[in-house]
């Protein structure tokens, strides 16, 4: 029997970084997925194949014996096998429809899909249980994650996420597409988060003001999203970008990309930790082509994504 789960990637529409210090963020699941397939094996090994790397180890080996990007998966395999007193080995295949390490939530989607897929070999599952396991797995490599990515990859749709873990799905009909453009600059979320913490410690008054402004901006954006008012949502995205520039997580290349995208779309900003990764631009039928054109003609790789409304999906297949 094969247990197959998939979870969507994500973009952060508003609130990255500021959420680390309270407040809230708005995230959307996107219609690009990571699929994880698991099967029990009788060789006592954990075997992982994926586009970011492969691993073959014994179920008794330490999680730290594999490269960091695969540790959450090994953690999940060991934990779930032990929880169900299984002496089996396990074969895990990971297939991604979008690149890793660019701020689109590949590691969170992978943790969610893997938790669901491995758990599905032993038991019925609830989204709450999968989310709990996925979050624990993700914290093996990124201890201070807010949990926002993992939550939206599990639930799908768009969510309002609070630092304390409270998440509410937005009740709205998405009437937009987001153009994602990759800067091709790799980044490390944890080092950008540390740098922002230093900025906050050195500039407490400015940072506190920015947090207040960000909170107001998010309230406006929530209202505008519910009303389908893309002009206001886009304007708030571009304003959010200014705050992100102020705390030093954008750079020249990202600024150029955002300015290009802003010339034709409703608004644009980086998505995720910054320093590299992707920008997003808000469009609909009226400006999707012109925005793709302006980014592509300047040599940037880009693609359009819609909001994924399904979230985590799981099925069992007879082999
Ligand atoms: O790099 P990403 O897309 O995983 O975004 C990180 C978002 C931060 O707010 C910077 C950190 C967090 O844990 O919320």
């Amino acid at each position: 029997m094969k247990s197959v789960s998939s979870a969507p990637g994500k973009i952060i529409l508003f609130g990255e970084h500021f959420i680390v210090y309270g407040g809230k963020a708005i995230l959307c699941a996107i219609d690009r997925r990571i699929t994880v397939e698991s099967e029990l094996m009788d060789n006592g090994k954990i075997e992982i194949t994926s586009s970011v790397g492969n691993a073959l180890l014994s179920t008794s080996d330490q999680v730290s014996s594999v490269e960091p990007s695969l540790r959450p998966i090994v953690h999940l395999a060991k934990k779930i096998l032990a929880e169900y007193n299984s002496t089996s080995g396990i074969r895990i295949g990971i297939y991604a429809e979008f690149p890793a390490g660019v701020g689109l939530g590949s590691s969170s989607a992978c943790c969610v899909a893997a938790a669901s897929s491995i758990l599905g070999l032993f038991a019925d599952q609830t989204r709450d249980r999968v989310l709990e396991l996925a979050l624990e797995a993700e914290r093996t490599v990124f201890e201070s994650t807010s949990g926002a990515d993992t939550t939206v990859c599990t639930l799908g749709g768009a969510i309002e996420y609070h630092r304390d873990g409270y998440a509410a799905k937005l009740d709205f009909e998405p009437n937009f597409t987001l153009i994602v453009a990759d800067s091709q600059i790799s980044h490390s979320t944890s080092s950008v988060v540390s740098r922002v913490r230093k900025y906050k410690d050195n500039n407490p008054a400015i940072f506190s003001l920015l947090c207040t402004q960000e909170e107001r901006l998010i309230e406006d954006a929530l209202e505008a999203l519910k009303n389908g008012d893309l002009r206001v949502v886009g304007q708030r995205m571009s304003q959010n970008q200014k705050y992100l520039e102020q705390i030093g997580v954008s750079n020249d290349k990202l600024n150029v990309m955002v300015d290009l995208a802003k010339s034709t779309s409703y608004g644009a900003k980086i998505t995720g930790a910054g320093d590299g990764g992707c920008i997003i631009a808000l469009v609909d039928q009226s400006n999707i082509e012109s925005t793709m054109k302006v980014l592509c003609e300047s040599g940037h790789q880009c693609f359009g994504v819609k909001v994924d409304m399904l979230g985590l999906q799981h099925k069992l297949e007879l082999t």
Side-chain angles (χ1 to χ4, degrees):
M1 188 181 64
K2 205 186 260 187
S3 174
V4 184
S5 296
S6 71
K10 69 93 196 31
I11 56 92
I12 302 182
L13 207 48
F14 296 99
E16 52 272 90
H17 288 292
F18 296 104
I19 192 183
V20 173
Y21 306 96
K24 53 176 115 159
I26 303 176
L27 293 92
C28 298
I30 58 172
D31 58 356
R32 304 274 169 132
R33 293 187 157 253
I34 291 200
T35 299
V36 177
E37 298 185 352
S38 314
E39 258 179 300
L40 292 179
M41 308 289 292
D42 55 15
N43 60 0
K45 303 265 184 218
I46 298 173
E47 189 183 327
I48 303 175
T49 46
S50 81
S51 55
V52 293
N54 303 325
L56 179 63
L57 66 159
S58 159
T59 51
S60 57
D61 287 344
Q62 297 288 319
V63 169
S64 56
S65 65
V66 298
E67 59 170 288
S69 64
L70 297 178
R71 283 180 197 164
I73 312 302
V74 173
H75 168 86
L76 286 165
K78 282 169 67 82
K79 174 166 178 133
I80 297 170
L81 287 170
E83 206 165 288
Y84 291 91
N85 296 319
S86 172
T87 52
S88 294
I90 190 164
R91 180 190 289 154
I92 300 166
I94 302 169
Y95 310 94
E97 292 175 352
F98 58 96
V102 295
L104 296 179
S106 70
S107 96
S108 301
C110 195
C111 286
V112 171
S116 162
S117 168
I118 301 168
L119 190 61
L121 291 167
F122 298 98
D124 289 341
Q125 53 186 265
T126 62
R127 283 185 162 181
D128 281 349
R129 176 73 183 128
V130 171
L131 178 55
E132 188 185 1
L133 284 166
L135 205 46
E136 185 186 298
E138 191 155 38
R139 291 201 162 123
T140 62
V141 281
F142 182 26
E143 209 184 324
S144 63
T145 178
S146 64
D149 292 16
T150 325
T151 305
V152 78
C153 295
T154 307
L155 299 181
I159 64 163
E160 180 187 325
Y161 188 85
H162 297 232
R163 172 72 214 189
D164 60 10
Y166 168 81
K169 218 166 160 171
L170 301 195
D171 181 18
F172 82 129
E173 291 280 326
N175 59 343
F176 56 83
T177 295
L178 288 157
I179 308 280
V180 177
D182 186 354
S183 70
Q184 314 264 14
I185 306 173
S186 63
H187 69 291
S188 147
T189 296
S190 50
S191 60
V192 191
V193 169
S194 308
R195 211 176 62 226
V196 172
R197 187 173 294 282
K198 276 189 202 129
Y199 175 88
K200 171 189 164 281
D201 292 344
N202 292 334
N203 306 276
I206 298 174
F207 196 84
S208 158
L209 181 63
L210 284 171
C211 286
T212 309
Q213 287 173 330
E214 177 77 13
E215 257 174 60
R216 283 201 203 115
L217 178 152
I218 289 180
E219 290 312 319
D220 290 352
L222 279 168
E223 191 62 27
L225 279 168
K226 282 173 196 158
N227 298 332
D229 188 341
L230 298 188
R231 273 178 212 288
V232 174
V233 178
Q235 194 280 332
R236 297 303 187 270
M237 285 170 67
S238 300
Q239 185 61 39
N240 195 161
Q241 169 66 17
K242 295 282 168 224
Y243 300 158
L244 292 167
E245 285 171 21
Q246 205 167 337
I247 61 172
V249 302
S250 197
N251 58 33
D252 288 350
K253 184 166 186 186
L254 291 165
N255 293 348
V256 166
M257 290 169 75
V258 166
D259 285 344
L260 277 172
K262 264 168 54 181
S263 68
T264 50
S265 67
Y266 292 107
K269 63 184 273 293
I270 59 172
T271 180
D275 253 10
C278 293
I279 66 141
I280 48 171
L282 186 75
V283 296
D284 61 10
Q285 282 314 315
S286 70
N287 50 10
I288 187 168
E289 262 179 48
S290 52
T291 306
M292 291 286 264
K293 193 162 175 261
V294 79
L295 285 164
C296 288
E297 281 180 356
S298 319
H300 302 295
Q301 279 182 8
C302 54
F303 54 92
V305 295
K306 296 251 184 218
V307 179
D308 164 275
M309 299 304 271
L310 299 173
L312 171 65
Q313 301 288 299
H314 173 249
K315 64 181 178 196
L316 291 173
E317 282 177 6
L318 292 176
T319 47

